[in-house]
Amino acid sequence: MTVEADGGADEVTSALLTASRLLVAISARSLAAVEDAVTPPQFRLLVVLSAQGPAKLVTLAGLLEVNPSTALRMVDRLAAAGLVDRRASPASGREVRIQLTAAGRAIVGDVTARRRADIAAVVSRMPTEQRRALVAALRAFNDAGGEPPVRNLARLGWT
């Protein structure tokens, strides 16, 4: 298939795969500073709680696309590390909600700040016109993929 025949989809796909490798490398570097405290899946749970707020275990499992037993094991480890806690729901005393502690919020904030700085360094090396084009292209890509925009950059994290 020629570039014209597929509208450049192969070229765009290759470019996005390369960009995804760069983003994964940035993500891995940002987590390296806290790798003794959390694993990547545990960090993902922290990011979900940061964005979502307190949640029931079954809700967390659904958002993480894992079994409730897997989510429970992650929550147990994070609670033991003081990064999340469990509290009775104000709506129902029988319902338990998991939420970030100050230490959990600090880890999300630290890792997010590292990612943001690394990404900003890459972006700053791009010419202004290419930055504008990249923003438009990424918005279109995210729209096509059904990904909602991040409203608060402080909540940005790799999930």
Side-chain angles (χ1 to χ4, degrees), residues 31 33-51 53-55 60 71 73-87 97-111:
L31 280 172
V34 297
E35 69 186 349
D36 291 339
V38 295
T39 64
Q42 290 168 344
F43 180 72
R44 185 171 172 233
L45 187 146
L46 295 176
V47 169
V48 166
L49 284 175
S50 177
L60 275 177
R73 285 191 299 276
M74 286 195 293
V75 167
D76 286 345
R77 288 183 185 115
L78 292 168
L83 302 176
V84 300
D85 64 16
R86 299 173 180 100
R87 296 213 176 146
R97 302 189 54 88
I98 296 111
Q99 62 186 29
L100 284 180
T101 62
R105 275 189 298 283
I107 283 183
V108 171
D110 180 55
V111 171

Side-chain angles (χ1 to χ4, degrees), residues 11-95:
E11 186 177 10
V12 171
T13 299
S14 292
L16 283 169
L17 284 171
T18 303
S20 74
R21 285 197 313 266
L22 173 61
L23 291 169
V24 167
I26 289 170
S27 177
R29 283 193 303 267
S30 70
L31 280 172
V34 297
E35 69 186 349
D36 291 339
V38 295
T39 64
Q42 290 168 344
F43 180 72
R44 185 171 172 233
L45 187 146
L46 295 176
V47 169
V48 166
L49 284 175
S50 177
Q52 170 86 17
K56 297 187 303 184
L57 182 69
V58 70
T59 302
L60 275 177
L63 292 169
L64 296 169
E65 298 179 357
V66 298
N67 293 324
S69 62
T70 300
L72 178 59
R73 285 191 299 276
M74 286 195 293
V75 167
D76 286 345
R77 288 183 185 115
L78 292 168
L83 302 176
V84 300
D85 64 16
R86 299 173 180 100
R87 296 213 176 146
S89 169
S92 167
R94 296 184 310 174
E95 185 177 282

Side-chain angles (χ1 to χ4, degrees), residues 120-152:
V122 172
V123 169
S124 72
R125 293 189 294 268
M126 296 174 63
T128 302
E129 273 311 305
Q130 287 183 344
R131 289 184 213 167
R132 287 187 187 115
L134 180 60
V135 168
L138 289 174
R139 284 182 178 154
F141 180 76
N142 293 334
D143 288 347
E147 186 66 21
V150 174
R151 299 285 182 215
N152 180 347

